[in-house]
């Protein structure tokens, strides 16, 4: 196999192991460990009056029971606000175990440890907690009304007011030839990885060290949190992410209470302790996302060009704010999309509700922002009687305008400056790919079959690869194996393959010789985590830099052996050779041996590096000043700011007016993530994202009642699309390399999900002629909308009906 693999569709190396049952997930670890279970609040808002553990004490196999009263030191303090922000004026977080008050169903109150999970659950069921119920706040509208407070000391329920503004909006709106104002909603949803959260901890009392396995997206950060909260030296804590069965954002939150409590119990009991989340626990006690109320006013001219945009968003952050206001910031700054907006103001008010916390879910605020911007474009086109693609085209940032400064501040605290792109090119490719110009003939054909057909599109820009840094380590062994490690974790994205491709290409070695480790603090202690489509951009570039460091050293050592200039050497198939003279060569594995001068020979290969093995320059030390033994290098990549990927999606839907079932019959994607390391993996990421986008548009909804009880906390009731509901996706690529990093990469992980809700809403509106102002939408809701005399018809529908009405 060639060693120049960058850009090639290499099959995923990890799949054979994972699909044949040889993966190693959290619950595959610690079969003999003690098991933890939790008593969780059945109420959305209540005071804890009393906890009676006495009935549980006679359960056979019970080992320990912990309540808040058993927590000491930093562990007894509230959980951290991970990302503080000056506009987060009223942050609140819970405790590892609740004290005094619970603020959502599922909040942990008691931890039980027993010899197995069944006995732990039995004991937990016997513990009696007495509550005094308090008024419940559910949904952004109830939080805005503030008739009741989630936290008594915050009577308006507002955690943060995030405000960004470019230009003077009010005069610009007043001077606009046309204005529109409207309100729309995105409902609460959540990610559902196949594997829930889980923690296994083992304490070594002899050297006072702790090893923790956790299903996380941020192993190094969990390590730091455990060390801080349990008052351990950081060097005595190891955290390892084994195979992780999906993350999608919920596992970037840390430390979860269980990530502190399970290690605490392991230390106290001097025994292995494990907890694995069950599905109901995931529904009611992990994290959700998405819910927003969006109030939009836009000014525009006769050609559909936006003159001013004013957006006020009410964002539901749930009961606590452990992840700060990252989702509101991302919505506020990604809402602008690929468009040149002369004047823009956004205010996001993030409010408390008595529901599960809201933290990033794949897309992380971007689908909501895209929904606001793209539905605005559709409204302008509808009002003016213009093609929706034409209105978008007239507002696009042009290729010669890069780098483009939106004069906003992104989630990394740095400017929103688009690095590169060709947005008109994306739109042109999309129109061709979906058959935009043939929409009317498709509509006529569907009508002949008794169906309603609609076409919709949505464009987006995605900030990817935010800092502050990631690192990479590359080491060539005497066997010829190349060990690669990086601190961020993998949850199925194909990191093992992509990072191996980068190293094989940079170092000139067969990919079969490259072994990749991620998310293990024993191998790499400094990292940030896997989120925001940053793995390839951050760790990919760090690993490339590390590989280049190894290559430079290898050529330097080989040059001495081959008596050649390092500039005249190359590495091909794991062999260092003189360019154009393959016979003058030395295997890279031999260079690795020679890189470590030895006194003792422990095998035949080692003899080559011993002090009497051959002539040496006795005027130089065996290890050069500033050098180190071994053929290895560690490096870090820290960007000046984020990169910005982009894309355009289009959906064609058919609707049966007898059942109002919505069928996505075609879905087209054009995507630009800069230089592509592996197109097969990028397409897999897009396909998976589109499936989640369809789910978010048509199925996934966390349905709370007025009492804060989640009504669909199981897969019997929470709908997700099957393969039969996910359309075949046609994909085209565009590559505009980023000038900000050595490999020219932008991220791809969230691209598929971001515009799905907006594109499908646009297509449904096009098919039905009724205004779609809330998503997701079900057949029942669409039926009610079509029958309601109060539902708004679009101007295009009125014109098609021949009424002469023009909005």
């Amino acid at each position: 196999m060639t060693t120049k693999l960058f850009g090639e569709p290499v099959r995923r190396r990890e799949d054979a192991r994972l699909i044949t049952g040889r993966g190693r997930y959290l619950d595959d670890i610690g079969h003999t460990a003690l098991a933890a279970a939790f008593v969780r609040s059945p109420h959305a808002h209540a005071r804890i009056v009393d906890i009676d553990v006495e009935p549980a004490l006679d359960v056979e196999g019970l080992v320990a029971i912990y309540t808040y009263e058993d927590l000491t030191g930093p562990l007894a303090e509230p959980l951290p606000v991970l990302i503080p922000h000056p506009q987060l004026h009223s942050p609140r977080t819970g405790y590892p175990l609740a004290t005094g008050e619970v603020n959502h169903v599922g909040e942990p109150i008691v931890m039980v440890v027993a010899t197995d999970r069944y006995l732990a659950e039995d004991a937990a069921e016997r513990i009696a907690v007495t509550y005094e119920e308090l008024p419940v706040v559910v949904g952004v509208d109830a939080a805005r009304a503030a008739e009741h407070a989630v936290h008594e000391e915050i009577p308006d329920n507002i955690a943060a007011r995030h405000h960004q503004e470019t230009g003077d909006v009010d005069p610009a709106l007043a001077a606009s030839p046309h204005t529109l104002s409207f309100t729309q909603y995105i409902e609460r949803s959540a990610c559902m990885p196949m594997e829930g959260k889980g923690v296994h901890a083992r304490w070594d009392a002899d050297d006072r060290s702790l090893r923790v396995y956790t299903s996380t997206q941020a192993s190094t950060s969990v390590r730091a949190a455990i060390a801080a909260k349990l008052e351990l030296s950081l060097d005595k804590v190891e955290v390892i992410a084994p195979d992780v069965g999906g993350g999608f954002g919920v596992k970037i939150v840390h430390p979860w209470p269980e990530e502190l409590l399970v290690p605490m119990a392991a230390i106290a009991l001097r025994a292995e302790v494990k907890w694995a989340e069950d599905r109901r626990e995931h529904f009611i006690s992990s994290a959700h996302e998405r819910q927003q109320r969006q109030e939009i006013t836009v000014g525009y001219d006769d050609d559909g060009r936006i003159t001013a945009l004013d957006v006020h968003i009410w964002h539901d952050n749930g009961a606590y704010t452990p992840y700060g206001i990252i989702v509101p910031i991302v919505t506020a700054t990604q809402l602008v999309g690929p468009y040149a907006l002369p004047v823009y103001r956004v205010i996001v008010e993030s409010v408390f509700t008595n529901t599960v916390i809201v933290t990033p879910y794949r897309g992380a605020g971007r689908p909501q922002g895209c929904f606001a911007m793209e539905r605005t474009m559709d409204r302008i086109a509808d009002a003016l009687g213009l093609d929706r693609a034409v209105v978008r085209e007239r507002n696009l940032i042009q290729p010669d305008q890069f780098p483009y400064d939106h004069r906003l501040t992104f989630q990394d605290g740095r400017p929103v400056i688009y690095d590169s792109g060709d947005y008109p090119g994306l739109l042109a490719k999309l129109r061709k790919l979906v058959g935009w110009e043939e929409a009317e003939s498709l509509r006529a054909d569907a009508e002949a079959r008794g169906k309603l057909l609609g076409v919709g599109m949505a464009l987006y820009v995605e900030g990817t690869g935010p800092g502050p840094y990631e690192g990479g380590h590359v080491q060539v062994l005497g066997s010829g194996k190349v060990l690669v490690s990086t601190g961020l974790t993998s949850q199925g994205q194909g990191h093992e393959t992509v990072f191996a491709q980068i190293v094989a290409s940079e170092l000139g070695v067969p990919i079969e010789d490259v072994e990749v480790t991620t998310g293990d603090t024993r191998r790499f202690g400094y990292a940030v985590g896997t989120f925001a489509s940053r793995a390839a951009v951050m760790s990919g570039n760090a690993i490339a830099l590390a590989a280049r460091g190894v290559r430079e050293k290898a050529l330097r050592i080989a040059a001495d052996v081959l008596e050649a200039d390092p500039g005249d050497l190359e590495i091909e198939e794991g062999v260092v050779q003189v360019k154009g003279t393959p016979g003058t060569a030395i295997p890279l594995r031999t260079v690795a041996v020679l890189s470590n001068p030895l006194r003792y020979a422990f095998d035949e290969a080692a003899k080559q590096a011993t002090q009497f093995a051959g002539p040496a320059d006795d005027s130089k030390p065996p290890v050069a000043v500033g050098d180190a033994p071994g053929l290895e290098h560690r490096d870090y990549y820290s960007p000046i700011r984020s990169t910005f990927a982009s894309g355009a999606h289009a959906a064609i839907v058919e609707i049966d007016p007898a059942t109002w079932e919505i069928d996505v019959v075609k879905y087209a994607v054009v995507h630009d993530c800069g230089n592509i390391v592996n197109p097969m993996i990028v397409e897999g990421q897009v396909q998976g994202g589109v499936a989640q986008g369809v789910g978010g548009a048509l199925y996934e909804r966390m349905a709370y009642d007025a009492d804060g009880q989640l009504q669909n906390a199981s897969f019997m009731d929470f709908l997700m699309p099957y393969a039969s509901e996910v359309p075949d996706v046609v994909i085209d690529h565009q590559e505009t390399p980023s000038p900000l990093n050595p490999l020219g990469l932008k991220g791809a992980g969230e691209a598929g999900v971001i515009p799905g809700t907006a594109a499908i809403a646009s297509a449904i509106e096009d098919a039905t002629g009724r205004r779609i102002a809330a998503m997701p939408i079900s057949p029942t809701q669409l039926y009610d909308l079509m029958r309601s005399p109060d539902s708004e018809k679009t101007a295009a529908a009125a014109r098609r009906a021949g009424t002469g009405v023009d909005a």
Side-chain angles (χ1 to χ4, degrees):
M1 179 182 287
T2 176
T3 55
K4 301 302 182 184
L5 296 172
F6 191 103
E8 295 297 317
V10 175
R11 293 181 68 86
R12 287 167 44 113
R13 290 153 46 96
E14 48 269 79
D15 284 355
R17 175 173 59 84
L18 297 176
I19 65 177
T20 57
R22 291 182 286 120
R24 189 169 184 254
Y25 298 90
L26 190 284
D27 211 21
D28 293 321
I29 299 166
H31 291 300
T32 61
L34 300 177
F38 289 86
V39 177
R40 300 183 184 273
S41 172
H43 301 292
H45 198 194
R47 288 191 183 92
I48 300 172
V49 177
D50 181 61
I51 302 173
D52 183 7
V53 303
E54 190 72 27
L57 297 181
D58 61 354
V59 172
E60 185 179 354
L62 176 69
V63 176
I65 297 176
Y66 299 95
T67 68
Y68 175 78
E69 301 302 323
D70 298 300
L71 307 184
T72 61
L75 194 59
E77 299 170 358
L79 295 166
V81 177
L82 290 170
I83 308 175
H85 192 280
Q87 292 180 356
L88 178 59
H89 61 264
S90 297
R92 292 294 182 275
T93 58
Y95 292 84
L97 292 171
T99 175
E101 185 173 301
V102 289
N103 289 295
H104 67 84
V105 171
E107 192 163 351
I109 300 170
V110 183
M111 180 173 74
V112 177
V113 180
T115 52
D116 64 42
R117 179 64 176 262
Y118 299 100
L119 295 173
E121 296 278 5
D122 288 346
E125 286 181 5
R126 296 192 184 190
I127 294 172
V129 183
T130 304
Y131 302 91
E132 176 190 337
E133 293 190 53
L134 298 171
V136 175
V137 178
V138 175
V140 291
D141 290 340
R144 289 172 71 228
E147 294 179 7
H148 304 291
V150 174
H151 302 286
E152 185 177 5
E153 67 278 15
I154 309 173
D156 62 1
N157 291 317
I158 297 175
R161 284 187 179 90
H162 180 67
H163 176 203
Q164 297 203 47
E165 187 167 357
T166 62
D168 200 342
V169 171
D170 294 324
L173 284 171
S176 298
H178 308 279
T179 61
L180 280 170
S181 295
F182 56 96
T183 298
Q184 58 188 24
Y185 289 85
I186 290 228
E187 298 297 338
R188 179 179 278 241
S189 184
C191 48
M192 287 292 147
M194 287 193 291
E195 180 199 32
K197 305 192 305 293
V199 187
H200 172 274
R202 185 175 70 206
W203 172 250
D204 187 326
D206 291 334
D207 68 0
R208 298 188 58 77
S209 65
L210 179 71
R211 177 177 295 179
V212 177
Y213 293 88
T214 179
S215 185
T216 184
Q217 294 174 232
S219 55
T220 56
S221 297
V222 173
R223 177 195 188 203
I226 290 172
K229 285 291 189 179
L230 299 186
E231 298 183 286
L232 299 171
S233 175
L234 186 66
D235 69 307
K236 291 294 186 178
V237 180
E238 299 170 347
V239 173
I240 301 143
D243 288 324
V244 176
F248 307 114
V250 69
K251 295 176 184 177
I252 192 60
V253 183
H254 62 275
W256 288 101
E258 301 87 358
E259 287 176 318
L260 302 175
L261 295 169
V262 170
M264 177 203 74
I267 294 171
L269 301 173
R270 298 196 173 197
E272 295 182 42
V273 181
K274 183 172 76 171
W275 168 79
E277 183 180 62
D278 66 35
R279 188 55 58 181
R280 178 168 173 77
E281 283 182 300
H282 187 82
F283 271 99
I284 67 170
S285 65
S286 55
H288 300 165
E289 219 240 64
R290 301 289 195 254
Q291 188 175 59
Q292 290 182 356
R293 172 190 170 106
Q294 302 176 338
E295 300 170 354
I296 300 167
T297 298
V298 62
Y300 55 97
D301 64 18
D302 293 339
D303 293 323
R305 292 186 177 88
I306 291 178
T307 53
L309 181 64
D310 190 16
V311 182
H312 190 165
I313 295 173
W314 296 83
H315 171 79
D316 179 356
N317 59 232
Y320 301 115
T321 57
Y323 213 72
I325 56 170
I326 290 300
V327 173
I329 291 171
V330 171
T331 295
T333 55
Q334 303 280 257
L335 188 151
V336 294
Y339 305 111
L341 303 183
V343 181
Y344 173 56
R345 176 172 64 198
V346 60
I347 297 172
V348 186
E349 302 202 58
S350 192
V351 296
F352 289 109
T353 59
N354 290 117
T355 56
V356 172
I357 61 172
V358 168
T359 63
Y361 162 34
R362 193 178 193 176
R366 297 173 185 86
Q368 299 96 309
C370 184
F371 188 66
M373 188 75 254
E374 293 302 303
R375 301 303 289 135
T376 298
M377 288 293 177
D378 285 348
R379 291 257 184 168
I380 294 171
D382 184 49
L384 294 174
L386 295 173
D387 187 295
R388 289 164 289 166
V390 170
V391 170
R392 287 170 168 82
E393 186 175 39
R394 290 173 178 173
N395 285 280
L396 289 174
I397 297 164
Q398 298 301 303
D400 61 359
Q401 292 180 274
F402 291 96
Y404 188 89
D405 189 350
H406 269 293
R407 295 171 292 156
L408 301 168
T409 301
F410 195 42
Q411 64 158 310
D412 55 2
R414 294 181 175 247
V416 178
I417 301 176
Y418 292 174
D419 45 334
S420 63
D422 179 1
Y423 305 147
L426 287 173
L427 181 57
K429 282 176 174 282
L430 181 73
R431 292 174 71 162
K432 182 177 180 181
L433 196 62
V434 78
W436 186 261
E437 319 305 333
E438 291 81 51
E440 290 308 314
S441 63
L442 292 173
R443 194 189 315 277
D445 176 68
E447 287 177 358
R449 294 183 283 107
K451 300 289 183 70
L452 304 175
L453 182 139
V455 184
M457 67 164 54
L459 281 62
Y460 71 95
V461 173
E462 177 196 1
T464 67
Y469 72 90
E470 288 295 343
H473 180 256
V474 176
Q475 179 182 19
V476 182
L477 301 181
S479 64
K481 288 291 182 184
V482 182
L483 305 183
V484 180
S485 60
T486 187
L488 59 64
T489 62
S490 183
Q491 300 89 51
Q493 300 94 328
H495 293 163
E496 182 180 331
T497 303
V498 169
F499 296 155
Q501 282 183 255
I502 290 172
V503 170
S505 296
E506 292 285 345
L507 201 51
V509 298
I511 195 170
E512 296 87 350
D513 289 343
V514 182
E515 298 178 0
V516 177
T517 299
T518 63
D520 187 338
T521 64
R522 297 171 299 178
R523 292 286 300 276
F524 211 98
Y526 290 96
V528 180
T530 302
F531 58 94
S533 302
R534 69 191 299 274
V537 178
M538 299 300 300
S539 280
N541 277 286
I543 286 168
L545 292 173
R548 292 175 188 182
V550 170
R551 184 177 185 278
E552 184 276 330
K553 185 174 184 178
L555 295 182
R556 178 162 43 88
I557 294 170
D560 287 342
V561 176
L562 299 175
E563 299 181 343
D565 187 281
D568 294 332
L569 301 180
E570 63 183 359
I571 307 176
E572 290 285 350
E573 295 294 334
V575 175
V576 186
Q577 60 191 27
V578 176
K579 296 174 184 176
T581 314
T584 308
I586 181 174
L588 188 61
R589 64 177 182 273
T590 303
V591 177
V593 171
L594 296 175
S595 70
N596 180 25
L598 296 173
R599 181 175 179 84
Y600 306 111
F602 41 81
D603 61 19
E604 288 301 315
K607 288 182 182 179
Q608 301 173 80
T610 56
Q611 53 203 351
F612 299 113
D617 186 344
D618 57 16
S619 68
K620 297 178 182 179
V623 178
V625 175
D627 212 341
L631 188 52
E632 60 185 298
H633 187 72
R634 182 183 302 266
D635 217 323
Y636 293 85
Y637 172 65
S638 181
I640 189 170
R641 59 180 178 271
S642 295
T643 54
F644 287 88
S646 55
H649 291 207
I652 300 177
V653 303
E654 282 191 359
I655 299 171
D656 186 341
T659 63
W660 297 104
E661 181 182 357
I662 303 161
D663 184 15
V664 183
V665 297
K666 185 174 183 179
Y667 201 97
V669 174
V670 183
H671 181 250
D672 185 348
C673 61
N675 290 333
I676 298 174
V677 181
N678 187 319
M680 184 185 300
I681 286 179
V682 170
E683 291 196 7
Q685 289 285 340
V686 171
Q687 293 271 2
V690 168
Q692 287 182 297
V694 171
L698 301 178
Y699 303 102
E700 297 172 5
R701 181 198 308 269
M702 288 295 176
Y704 278 97
D705 67 13
D707 295 321
Q709 297 292 334
L710 189 58
Q711 299 298 290
N712 57 342
S714 76
F715 285 154
M716 292 291 289
D717 303 300
F718 178 75
L719 300 181
M720 292 185 293
Y722 297 152
S724 54
E725 279 75 56
V726 178
D728 291 333
V729 183
V730 289
I731 301 173
D732 195 2
H733 297 286
Q734 176 177 282
E735 292 185 66
T736 58
S738 173
L740 300 181
N741 60 75
L743 297 178
L745 305 180
K746 304 174 186 178
E750 292 163 283
V753 74
I754 294 169
T757 296
I760 292 172
S762 179
I764 295 170
E765 188 169 282
D766 184 50
T768 62
R770 298 298 176 100
R771 193 72 69 197
I772 306 299
M775 294 292 275
I777 189 167
S778 67
T780 300
Q781 290 169 313
L782 184 56
Y783 170 79
D784 292 340
L785 183 71
M786 297 300 293
R787 288 175 59 87
S788 171
D790 298 324
S791 66
E792 180 186 352
K793 288 187 177 182
T794 65
R799 284 191 290 268
R800 280 205 301 263
T803 63
V805 175
D806 191 331

